Protein backbone atom coordinates (compact mmCIF):
# COMPACT_ATOMS: atom_id res chain seq x y z
CA UNK A 1 0.00 0.00 0.00
CA UNK A 2 1.26 3.51 -0.82
CA UNK A 3 2.28 5.46 2.24
CA UNK A 4 0.23 8.58 2.93
CA UNK A 5 2.61 11.52 2.86
CA UNK A 6 2.17 14.70 4.86
CA UNK A 7 2.91 17.68 2.66
CA UNK A 8 3.12 21.34 3.64
CA UNK A 9 2.52 23.74 0.76
CA UNK A 10 2.95 27.51 0.89
CA UNK A 11 1.53 29.94 -1.65
CA UNK A 12 2.93 33.50 -1.71
CA UNK A 13 1.12 36.79 -2.18
CA UNK A 14 1.29 36.96 -5.97
CA UNK A 15 -0.09 33.41 -6.20
CA UNK A 16 -3.24 34.41 -4.29
CA UNK A 17 -3.56 37.98 -5.58
CA UNK A 18 -7.22 37.73 -6.66
CA UNK A 19 -10.24 35.40 -6.51
CA UNK A 20 -9.30 33.63 -9.75
CA UNK A 21 -5.77 32.95 -8.48
CA UNK A 22 -7.13 31.63 -5.18
CA UNK A 23 -9.34 29.25 -7.14
CA UNK A 24 -6.26 28.18 -9.12
CA UNK A 25 -4.45 27.46 -5.83
CA UNK A 26 -7.45 25.47 -4.63
CA UNK A 27 -7.30 23.34 -7.80
CA UNK A 28 -3.59 22.65 -7.26
CA UNK A 29 -4.16 21.76 -3.62
CA UNK A 30 -7.04 19.51 -4.67
CA UNK A 31 -4.76 17.61 -7.08
CA UNK A 32 -2.35 16.79 -4.28
CA UNK A 33 -5.19 15.87 -1.92
CA UNK A 34 -6.63 13.51 -4.55
CA UNK A 35 -3.29 11.67 -4.49
CA UNK A 36 -4.26 10.62 -0.98
CA UNK A 37 -1.81 12.94 0.79
CA UNK A 38 -2.48 14.82 3.99
CA UNK A 39 -2.09 18.53 3.43
CA UNK A 40 -1.29 21.69 5.31
CA UNK A 41 -1.50 24.81 3.16
CA UNK A 42 0.07 28.07 4.32
CA UNK A 43 -0.90 31.26 2.52
CA UNK A 44 0.24 34.87 2.42
CA UNK A 45 -1.85 38.00 2.25
CA UNK A 46 -3.33 38.70 -1.19
CA UNK A 47 -0.99 40.44 -3.66
CA UNK A 48 0.67 43.50 -2.21
CA UNK A 49 -1.67 43.76 0.78
CA UNK A 50 1.14 43.82 3.35
CA UNK A 51 3.02 46.58 1.47
CA UNK A 52 -0.24 48.52 1.41
CA UNK A 53 -0.69 48.15 5.16
CA UNK A 54 2.90 49.30 5.81
CA UNK A 55 2.33 52.34 3.59
CA UNK A 56 -0.91 53.11 5.42
CA UNK A 57 0.85 53.08 8.79
CA UNK A 58 3.50 55.44 7.46
CA UNK A 59 0.79 57.85 6.37
CA UNK A 60 -0.08 58.08 10.06
CA UNK A 61 3.43 58.25 11.53
CA UNK A 62 7.05 57.75 10.35
CA UNK A 63 7.92 55.41 13.26
CA UNK A 64 4.83 53.30 14.08
CA UNK A 65 4.68 51.46 17.39
CA UNK A 66 5.77 47.85 16.69
CA UNK A 67 2.92 46.27 18.67
CA UNK A 68 0.31 48.22 16.76
CA UNK A 69 2.16 47.49 13.52
CA UNK A 70 1.69 43.76 14.17
CA UNK A 71 -1.97 44.30 14.95
CA UNK A 72 -2.27 45.90 11.53
CA UNK A 73 -0.08 43.52 9.49
CA UNK A 74 -1.77 40.43 10.92
CA UNK A 75 -5.04 41.46 9.26
CA UNK A 76 -3.76 40.51 5.78
CA UNK A 77 -3.42 36.72 5.85
CA UNK A 78 -6.80 35.84 7.46
CA UNK A 79 -8.59 37.12 4.35
CA UNK A 80 -6.75 34.58 2.20
CA UNK A 81 -7.27 31.55 4.47
CA UNK A 82 -11.02 32.05 4.61
CA UNK A 83 -11.29 32.47 0.83
CA UNK A 84 -9.07 29.45 0.12
CA UNK A 85 -11.05 27.25 2.52
CA UNK A 86 -14.25 28.34 0.74
CA UNK A 87 -12.67 27.60 -2.66
CA UNK A 88 -11.74 24.09 -1.46
CA UNK A 89 -15.27 23.52 -0.14
CA UNK A 90 -16.59 24.55 -3.55
CA UNK A 91 -14.46 21.79 -5.10
CA UNK A 92 -15.97 19.29 -2.68
CA UNK A 93 -13.08 19.04 -0.21
CA UNK A 94 -13.12 19.26 3.55
CA UNK A 95 -10.96 22.16 4.66
CA UNK A 96 -10.64 24.35 7.75
CA UNK A 97 -8.75 27.62 8.14
CA UNK A 98 -6.66 28.67 11.14
CA UNK A 99 -5.01 31.95 12.07
CA UNK A 100 -1.48 31.84 13.51
CA UNK A 101 -2.69 32.04 17.13
CA UNK A 102 -5.32 29.35 16.44
CA UNK A 103 -2.67 26.96 15.17
CA UNK A 104 -0.66 27.74 18.33
CA UNK A 105 2.23 29.50 16.67
CA UNK A 106 3.78 30.76 19.90
CA UNK A 107 6.46 33.44 19.53
CA UNK A 108 8.53 35.79 21.65
CA UNK A 109 7.42 39.42 21.98
CA UNK A 110 9.83 40.96 19.44
CA UNK A 111 7.07 42.67 17.47
CA UNK A 112 7.40 42.75 13.64
CA UNK A 113 10.25 40.20 13.74
CA UNK A 114 9.13 37.71 16.37
CA UNK A 115 10.90 34.39 16.76
CA UNK A 116 8.99 31.13 17.07
CA UNK A 117 9.18 29.60 20.56
CA UNK A 118 7.06 26.53 19.96
CA UNK A 119 4.18 25.25 17.87
CA UNK A 120 1.47 23.25 19.53
CA UNK A 121 0.54 21.07 16.56
CA UNK A 122 -2.53 19.49 18.27
CA UNK A 123 -5.27 21.43 16.53
CA UNK A 124 -3.69 20.97 13.13
CA UNK A 125 -3.19 17.27 13.72
CA UNK A 126 -6.77 16.82 14.87
CA UNK A 127 -8.07 18.49 11.73
CA UNK A 128 -5.80 16.34 9.54
CA UNK A 129 -7.00 13.23 11.36
CA UNK A 130 -10.56 14.31 10.62
CA UNK A 131 -9.65 14.27 6.93
CA UNK A 132 -9.57 18.04 6.55
CA UNK A 133 -7.13 20.11 4.54
CA UNK A 134 -5.57 22.49 7.05
CA UNK A 135 -5.26 26.07 5.77
CA UNK A 136 -3.00 28.30 7.87
CA UNK A 137 -2.36 32.05 7.86
CA UNK A 138 1.36 32.57 7.34
CA UNK A 139 3.51 35.27 8.92
CA UNK A 140 1.58 35.55 12.19
CA UNK A 141 1.64 34.18 15.71
CA UNK A 142 1.01 35.22 19.29
CA UNK A 143 3.01 35.46 22.50
CA UNK A 144 2.21 33.26 25.52
CA UNK A 145 0.11 36.23 26.70
CA UNK A 146 -1.89 36.36 23.50
CA UNK A 147 -0.24 39.43 22.00
CA UNK A 148 -0.41 39.27 18.18
CA UNK A 149 3.02 39.11 16.49
CA UNK A 150 4.45 38.79 12.97
CA UNK A 151 7.56 36.91 11.86
CA UNK A 152 9.28 39.52 9.68
CA UNK A 153 8.63 40.29 6.02
CA UNK A 154 8.39 37.16 3.92
CA UNK A 155 7.50 35.30 7.13
CA UNK A 156 4.95 32.96 5.56
CA UNK A 157 7.92 30.91 4.36
CA UNK A 158 8.95 30.49 7.99
CA UNK A 159 5.42 29.50 9.04
CA UNK A 160 5.46 26.77 6.38
CA UNK A 161 8.90 25.41 7.26
CA UNK A 162 8.20 25.53 10.99
CA UNK A 163 4.90 23.67 10.57
CA UNK A 164 6.65 21.11 8.36
CA UNK A 165 9.21 20.54 11.13
CA UNK A 166 6.60 20.44 13.92
CA UNK A 167 4.35 17.99 12.07
CA UNK A 168 7.30 15.99 10.72
CA UNK A 169 6.14 16.54 7.14
CA UNK A 170 7.79 14.76 4.24
CA UNK A 171 8.42 17.95 2.31
CA UNK A 172 7.76 21.67 2.43
CA UNK A 173 6.79 23.03 -0.98
CA UNK A 174 7.09 26.78 -1.52
CA UNK A 175 4.94 27.83 -4.49
CA UNK A 176 5.75 31.24 -5.92
CA UNK A 177 5.75 33.41 -9.06
CA UNK A 178 9.09 32.07 -10.36
CA UNK A 179 9.91 28.44 -11.24
CA UNK A 180 12.59 27.96 -8.61
CA UNK A 181 15.81 29.43 -7.29
CA UNK A 182 17.88 31.00 -10.07
CA UNK A 183 21.50 32.11 -10.46
CA UNK A 184 20.15 35.68 -10.06
CA UNK A 185 16.70 37.27 -9.79
CA UNK A 186 15.14 36.18 -13.12
CA UNK A 187 13.13 39.40 -13.16
CA UNK A 188 16.41 41.34 -13.34
CA UNK A 189 18.65 38.98 -15.31
CA UNK A 190 16.69 37.46 -18.22
CA UNK A 191 19.26 34.72 -18.89
CA UNK A 192 19.50 33.60 -15.25
CA UNK A 193 19.48 29.81 -14.94
CA UNK A 194 17.29 27.68 -12.68
CA UNK A 195 19.25 25.60 -10.15
CA UNK A 196 18.09 22.01 -9.72
CA UNK A 197 19.45 21.79 -6.20
CA UNK A 198 21.07 24.17 -3.76
CA UNK A 199 22.58 23.61 -0.30
CA UNK A 200 21.01 25.11 2.83
CA UNK A 201 24.20 27.13 3.40
CA UNK A 202 24.19 28.75 -0.02
CA UNK A 203 20.46 29.40 0.11
CA UNK A 204 20.80 30.89 3.58
CA UNK A 205 23.54 33.22 2.41
CA UNK A 206 21.55 34.21 -0.70
CA UNK A 207 18.41 34.81 1.34
CA UNK A 208 20.14 36.90 3.96
CA UNK A 209 21.82 38.89 1.19
CA UNK A 210 18.49 39.82 -0.36
CA UNK A 211 17.24 37.03 -2.68
CA UNK A 212 13.70 37.26 -1.36
CA UNK A 213 12.55 34.02 -3.00
CA UNK A 214 12.91 32.49 0.50
CA UNK A 215 12.95 34.34 3.81
CA UNK A 216 16.37 33.80 5.41
CA UNK A 217 14.99 32.66 8.76
CA UNK A 218 12.94 30.00 7.05
CA UNK A 219 16.13 28.59 5.52
CA UNK A 220 17.87 28.69 8.89
CA UNK A 221 14.97 26.75 10.37
CA UNK A 222 14.91 24.25 7.49
CA UNK A 223 18.62 23.60 7.92
CA UNK A 224 18.34 23.18 11.67
CA UNK A 225 15.54 20.63 11.44
CA UNK A 226 16.56 19.07 8.12
CA UNK A 227 13.31 20.00 6.36
CA UNK A 228 13.61 19.44 2.59
CA UNK A 229 12.31 22.57 0.84
CA UNK A 230 11.10 22.51 -2.75
CA UNK A 231 10.72 25.94 -4.39
CA UNK A 232 8.45 25.79 -7.45
CA UNK A 233 5.94 27.62 -9.60
CA UNK A 234 2.29 28.16 -8.60
CA UNK A 235 1.34 28.22 -12.24
CA UNK A 236 3.38 25.42 -13.86
CA UNK A 237 3.79 21.77 -12.98
CA UNK A 238 7.59 21.67 -13.63
CA UNK A 239 9.90 20.62 -10.82
CA UNK A 240 11.60 23.59 -9.18
CA UNK A 241 14.66 23.79 -6.94
CA UNK A 242 15.37 21.47 -4.05
CA UNK A 243 17.01 23.13 -1.04
CA UNK A 244 18.80 20.43 0.87
CA UNK A 245 21.98 19.28 2.56
CA UNK A 246 25.21 19.79 0.64
CA UNK A 247 26.23 16.65 -1.21
CA UNK A 248 28.71 15.51 -3.81
CA UNK A 249 26.04 15.58 -6.52
CA UNK A 250 25.93 19.36 -6.39
CA UNK A 251 27.60 21.43 -9.03
CA UNK A 252 31.19 22.20 -8.27
CA UNK A 253 31.33 25.85 -9.11
CA UNK A 254 32.97 28.73 -7.32
CA UNK A 255 30.12 31.22 -7.64
CA UNK A 256 26.53 29.92 -7.69
CA UNK A 257 24.57 33.16 -7.76
CA UNK A 258 24.50 36.94 -7.73
CA UNK A 259 22.17 38.55 -5.24
CA UNK A 260 21.05 42.10 -4.64
CA UNK A 261 19.29 43.78 -1.79
CA UNK A 262 17.63 47.13 -2.40
CA UNK A 263 16.14 47.31 1.02
CA UNK A 264 19.19 48.75 2.76
CA UNK A 265 20.14 52.11 4.17
CA UNK A 266 23.55 53.40 5.16
CA UNK A 267 24.01 55.42 8.32
CA UNK A 268 27.19 57.30 9.23
CA UNK A 269 28.12 58.90 12.52
CA UNK A 270 30.55 61.69 11.80
CA UNK A 271 33.61 62.64 13.87
CA UNK A 272 33.12 60.16 16.69
CA UNK A 273 35.71 60.51 19.50
CA UNK A 274 38.05 57.54 19.06
CA UNK A 275 38.11 56.01 22.55
CA UNK A 276 37.21 52.65 24.06
CA UNK A 277 33.52 52.08 24.71
CA UNK A 278 32.11 54.41 22.08
CA UNK A 279 31.29 51.72 19.53
CA UNK A 280 29.71 49.68 22.31
CA UNK A 281 27.42 52.59 23.21
CA UNK A 282 26.42 53.20 19.60
CA UNK A 283 25.58 49.59 18.79
CA UNK A 284 23.93 48.88 22.13
CA UNK A 285 21.51 51.74 21.42
CA UNK A 286 20.64 50.25 18.02
CA UNK A 287 20.36 46.71 19.37
CA UNK A 288 18.00 47.96 22.11
CA UNK A 289 15.61 48.91 19.31
CA UNK A 290 15.82 45.33 18.01
CA UNK A 291 17.47 46.58 14.83
CA UNK A 292 19.93 44.27 13.10
CA UNK A 293 23.01 46.06 11.84
CA UNK A 294 24.81 44.53 8.91
CA UNK A 295 28.08 45.87 7.46
CA UNK A 296 30.15 48.08 9.73
CA UNK A 297 33.07 50.26 8.66
CA UNK A 298 35.19 52.43 10.91
CA UNK A 299 37.78 54.68 9.31
CA UNK A 300 41.32 55.21 10.57
CA UNK A 301 41.16 58.00 13.08
CA UNK A 302 42.60 61.43 12.50
CA UNK A 303 43.26 63.78 15.46
CA UNK A 304 41.33 61.48 17.80
CA UNK A 305 38.14 61.36 15.76
CA UNK A 306 36.78 58.79 13.34
CA UNK A 307 33.75 58.25 11.10
CA UNK A 308 31.65 55.14 11.63
CA UNK A 309 29.28 53.77 8.97
CA UNK A 310 26.97 50.80 8.88
CA UNK A 311 24.03 49.41 6.96
CA UNK A 312 20.61 48.37 8.26
CA UNK A 313 17.19 47.52 6.81
CA UNK A 314 15.68 50.66 5.25
CA UNK A 315 12.46 50.23 7.19
CA UNK A 316 14.37 50.53 10.48
CA UNK A 317 16.30 53.65 9.49
CA UNK A 318 13.90 56.21 10.96
CA UNK A 319 13.86 54.51 14.37
CA UNK A 320 17.65 54.02 14.30
CA UNK A 321 18.25 57.67 13.38
CA UNK A 322 16.21 58.84 16.35
CA UNK A 323 18.29 56.94 18.91
CA UNK A 324 21.57 57.63 17.10
CA UNK A 325 21.08 61.40 17.20
CA UNK A 326 20.83 61.04 20.94
CA UNK A 327 23.90 58.77 21.22
CA UNK A 328 25.91 61.07 18.94
CA UNK A 329 25.20 63.98 21.29
CA UNK A 330 26.04 61.88 24.33
CA UNK A 331 29.46 60.70 23.02
CA UNK A 332 30.34 64.08 21.49
CA UNK A 333 30.17 63.12 17.81
CA UNK A 334 29.52 65.73 15.12
CA UNK A 335 26.27 64.28 13.80
CA UNK A 336 24.45 61.54 11.93
CA UNK A 337 24.06 61.23 8.16
CA UNK A 338 22.05 58.70 6.25
CA UNK A 339 21.69 57.48 2.70
CA UNK A 340 18.66 55.44 1.63
CA UNK A 341 19.81 55.18 -1.98
CA UNK A 342 22.18 52.25 -1.59
CA UNK A 343 22.03 48.63 -2.69
CA UNK A 344 24.01 45.63 -1.57
CA UNK A 345 25.32 43.38 -4.34
CA UNK A 346 26.73 39.96 -3.46
CA UNK A 347 28.22 36.89 -5.06
CA UNK A 348 27.60 33.59 -3.29
CA UNK A 349 29.10 30.11 -3.65
CA UNK A 350 30.42 27.35 -1.40
CA UNK A 351 33.32 26.91 -3.84
CA UNK A 352 34.72 30.23 -2.61
CA UNK A 353 35.99 28.42 0.47
CA UNK A 354 38.79 26.98 -1.62
CA UNK A 355 39.31 29.53 -4.37
CA UNK A 356 41.17 32.82 -4.40
CA UNK A 357 40.76 35.82 -6.67
CA UNK A 358 36.97 35.84 -6.57
CA UNK A 359 36.70 39.18 -4.78
CA UNK A 360 39.26 40.75 -7.11
CA UNK A 361 37.20 39.67 -10.12
CA UNK A 362 34.09 41.16 -8.56
CA UNK A 363 35.77 44.53 -7.91
CA UNK A 364 37.29 44.72 -11.38
CA UNK A 365 33.90 43.95 -12.95
CA UNK A 366 32.27 46.77 -10.99
CA UNK A 367 35.08 49.19 -11.83
CA UNK A 368 34.79 48.35 -15.54
CA UNK A 369 31.16 49.51 -15.30
CA UNK A 370 32.26 52.70 -13.53
CA UNK A 371 30.50 51.68 -10.31
CA UNK A 372 31.95 53.03 -7.08
CA UNK A 373 32.07 50.75 -4.02
CA UNK A 374 31.05 52.31 -0.68
CA UNK A 375 31.58 49.31 1.58
CA UNK A 376 32.81 45.72 1.30
CA UNK A 377 32.25 42.67 3.45
CA UNK A 378 33.09 39.01 3.07
CA UNK A 379 32.05 35.73 4.62
CA UNK A 380 33.33 32.24 3.98
CA UNK A 381 31.01 31.79 1.00
CA UNK A 382 30.11 35.34 -0.10
CA UNK A 383 31.50 38.76 -1.01
CA UNK A 384 29.22 41.82 -0.77
CA UNK A 385 29.58 45.42 -1.89
CA UNK A 386 27.41 48.41 -1.07
CA UNK A 387 26.95 50.65 -4.12
CA UNK A 388 24.60 53.42 -5.27
CA UNK A 389 21.11 52.01 -5.67
CA UNK A 390 20.80 53.30 -9.24
CA UNK A 391 23.57 50.91 -10.39
CA UNK A 392 22.09 47.85 -8.66
CA UNK A 393 20.59 46.08 -11.64
CA UNK A 394 23.51 46.97 -13.91
CA UNK A 395 25.92 45.48 -11.34
CA UNK A 396 23.92 42.25 -11.04
CA UNK A 397 23.86 41.76 -14.82
CA UNK A 398 27.57 42.55 -15.20
CA UNK A 399 28.56 40.13 -12.41
CA UNK A 400 26.23 37.40 -13.71
CA UNK A 401 28.05 37.67 -17.02
CA UNK A 402 31.55 37.99 -15.57
CA UNK A 403 31.11 34.78 -13.56
CA UNK A 404 29.54 33.02 -16.55
CA UNK A 405 26.43 31.95 -14.69
CA UNK A 406 24.02 31.85 -17.61
CA UNK A 407 25.01 29.03 -19.89
CA UNK A 408 26.75 26.07 -18.34
P1 LIG B 1 6.05 35.22 -2.72
O1 LIG B 1 5.04 36.31 -2.78
O2 LIG B 1 5.61 33.99 -3.45
O3 LIG B 1 6.54 34.93 -1.34
P2 LIG B 1 8.43 36.74 -3.25
O4 LIG B 1 8.19 37.99 -4.04
O5 LIG B 1 8.64 36.87 -1.80
O6 LIG B 1 7.27 35.72 -3.60
O7 LIG B 1 9.69 35.97 -3.88
C1 LIG B 1 9.72 35.64 -5.24
C2 LIG B 1 10.58 36.66 -5.97
O8 LIG B 1 11.94 36.51 -5.56
C3 LIG B 1 10.66 36.49 -7.47
O9 LIG B 1 9.57 37.12 -8.12
C4 LIG B 1 11.99 37.10 -7.82
O10 LIG B 1 11.86 38.42 -8.34
C5 LIG B 1 12.72 37.20 -6.50
N1 LIG B 1 14.08 36.63 -6.53
C6 LIG B 1 15.19 37.27 -6.11
N2 LIG B 1 16.27 36.52 -6.28
C7 LIG B 1 15.86 35.36 -6.84
C8 LIG B 1 16.55 34.18 -7.26
N3 LIG B 1 17.88 34.05 -7.13
N4 LIG B 1 15.81 33.15 -7.78
C9 LIG B 1 14.46 33.28 -7.91
N5 LIG B 1 13.76 34.38 -7.52
C10 LIG B 1 14.45 35.42 -7.00
N1 LIG C 1 2.48 38.95 3.81
C1 LIG C 1 3.77 38.96 4.44
C2 LIG C 1 4.74 39.85 3.66
O1 LIG C 1 4.37 40.38 2.63
C3 LIG C 1 4.35 37.59 4.63
C4 LIG C 1 4.67 36.86 3.36
O2 LIG C 1 4.14 37.16 2.30
O3 LIG C 1 5.48 35.92 3.42
O4 LIG C 1 5.84 40.06 4.10
MG1 LIG D 1 8.05 35.77 -0.10
Amino acid sequence: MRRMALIVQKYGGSSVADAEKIRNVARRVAETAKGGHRLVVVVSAMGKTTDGLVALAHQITPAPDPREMDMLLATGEPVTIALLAMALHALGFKARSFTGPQINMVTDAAHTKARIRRIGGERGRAALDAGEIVVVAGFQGATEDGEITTLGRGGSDLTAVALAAALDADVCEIYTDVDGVYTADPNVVPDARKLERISYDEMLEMASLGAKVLQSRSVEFAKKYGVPVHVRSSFKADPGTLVTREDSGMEEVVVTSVTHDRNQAKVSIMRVPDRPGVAAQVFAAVADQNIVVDMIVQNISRDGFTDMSFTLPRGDRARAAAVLEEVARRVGAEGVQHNDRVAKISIVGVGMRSHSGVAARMFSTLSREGINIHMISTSEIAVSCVIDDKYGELAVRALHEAFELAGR
Side-chain angles (χ1 to χ4, degrees):
M1 201 182 81
R2 230 170 91 210
R3 188 176 151 272
M4 242 184 20
L6 172 59
I7 299 175
V8 176
Q9 299 189 333
K10 177 257 171 178
Y11 293 87
S14 47
S15 309
V16 293
D18 55 38
E20 185 42 46
K21 290 205 167 100
I22 290 175
R23 281 164 46 204
N24 169 63
V25 166
R27 283 191 292 271
R28 291 213 64 159
V29 171
E31 272 165 43
T32 313
K34 275 188 212 142
H37 303 306
R38 302 198 299 159
L39 262 173
V40 175
V41 184
V42 175
V43 284
S44 296
M46 292 171 68
K48 298 199 175 303
T49 299
T50 310
D51 288 341
L53 293 170
V54 171
L56 201 52
H58 284 107
Q59 283 172 34
I60 303 280
T61 165
D65 176 69
R67 177 189 183 273
E68 302 311 329
M69 198 64 185
D70 274 351
M71 203 60 109
L72 179 68
L73 296 184
T75 62
E77 272 68 9
V79 174
T80 325
I81 55 171
L83 294 172
L84 180 58
M86 291 175 198
L88 286 165
H89 296 162
L91 294 176
F93 287 81
K94 291 204 279 181
R96 185 187 294 265
S97 67
F98 297 91
T99 64
Q102 283 180 322
I103 205 80
N104 285 321
M105 182 67 67
V106 181
T107 74
D108 65 13
H111 284 290
T112 75
K113 54 191 91 166
R115 299 189 81 89
I116 297 174
R117 285 247 172 93
R118 61 182 177 83
I119 305 174
E122 313 79 29
R123 260 184 107 169
R125 256 185 232 112
L128 287 171
D129 290 345
E132 291 173 325
I133 297 169
V134 171
V135 181
V136 178
F139 180 52
Q140 50 175 253
T143 65
E144 301 279 2
D145 303 335
E147 292 285 341
I148 304 291
T149 54
T150 61
L151 307 175
R153 294 306 306 271
S156 296
D157 297 335
L158 178 57
T159 304
V161 171
L163 277 171
L167 298 169
D168 199 19
D170 295 83
V171 63
C172 179
E173 299 178 332
I174 305 285
Y175 288 88
T176 182
D177 60 353
V178 287
D179 305 351
V181 180
Y182 279 70
T183 49
D185 185 340
N187 290 318
V188 173
V189 182
D191 61 356
R193 194 169 51 90
K194 184 167 84 184
L195 301 163
E196 246 174 70
R197 295 147 72 78
I198 186 169
S199 67
Y200 289 124
D201 287 333
E202 277 174 315
M203 190 64 237
L204 182 55
E205 199 81 18
M206 277 173 75
S208 49
L209 292 170
K212 68 172 182 160
V213 61
L214 283 178
Q215 188 216 31
S216 63
R217 280 170 49 197
S218 73
V219 185
E220 216 177 307
F221 210 100
K223 182 185 174 189
K224 187 165 167 196
Y225 294 96
V227 178
V229 175
H230 186 183
V231 180
R232 53 195 303 196
S233 164
S234 293
F235 309 105
K236 295 188 207 158
D238 310 358
T241 303
L242 195 65
V243 188
T244 178
R245 253 178 256 290
E246 202 175 319
D247 65 42
S248 53
M250 282 179 186
E251 296 179 54
E252 285 186 14
V253 291
V254 181
V255 173
T256 323
S257 68
V258 182
T259 293
H260 75 300
D261 185 348
R262 304 190 58 179
N263 190 29
Q264 296 269 303
K266 179 177 150 189
V267 176
S268 303
I269 310 181
M270 314 308 291
R271 280 185 66 80
V272 183
D274 195 6
R275 56 165 198 266
V278 171
Q281 283 188 60
V282 168
F283 292 106
V286 179
D288 277 350
Q289 298 291 308
N290 237 317
I291 294 169
V292 180
V293 166
D294 184 21
M295 291 187 199
I296 302 174
V297 173
Q298 179 176 330
N299 289 336
I300 293 175
S301 74
R302 263 174 284 111
D303 32 288
F305 291 93
T306 180
D307 297 338
M308 219 181 249
S309 297
F310 52 91
T311 57
L312 39 70
R314 205 171 288 172
D316 288 335
R317 208 258 304 139
R319 275 188 314 126
V323 296
L324 287 171
E325 296 283 355
E326 198 273 316
V327 177
R329 264 195 304 277
R330 187 156 25 102
V331 301
E334 192 180 271
V336 181
Q337 291 181 359
H338 52 81
N339 181 356
D340 281 354
R341 295 202 183 87
V342 296
K344 183 167 63 180
I345 309 298
S346 312
I347 52 176
V348 177
V350 282
M352 272 185 224
R353 287 185 191 131
S354 52
H355 281 75
S356 57
V358 183
R361 188 143 147 221
M362 179 179 194
F363 305 150
S364 64
T365 305
L366 294 177
S367 92
R368 222 173 19 249
E369 300 293 334
I371 300 171
N372 188 36
I373 302 172
H374 297 260
M375 289 166 131
I376 298 168
S377 78
T378 61
S379 79
E380 201 186 13
I381 62 166
V383 183
S384 305
C385 297
V386 170
I387 62 173
D388 285 340
D389 193 19
K390 64 181 174 195
Y391 298 126
E393 299 199 349
L394 170 65
V396 173
R397 285 190 207 105
L399 290 167
H400 195 264
E401 202 180 319
F403 287 97
E404 296 168 11
L405 295 177
R408 262 201 305 254

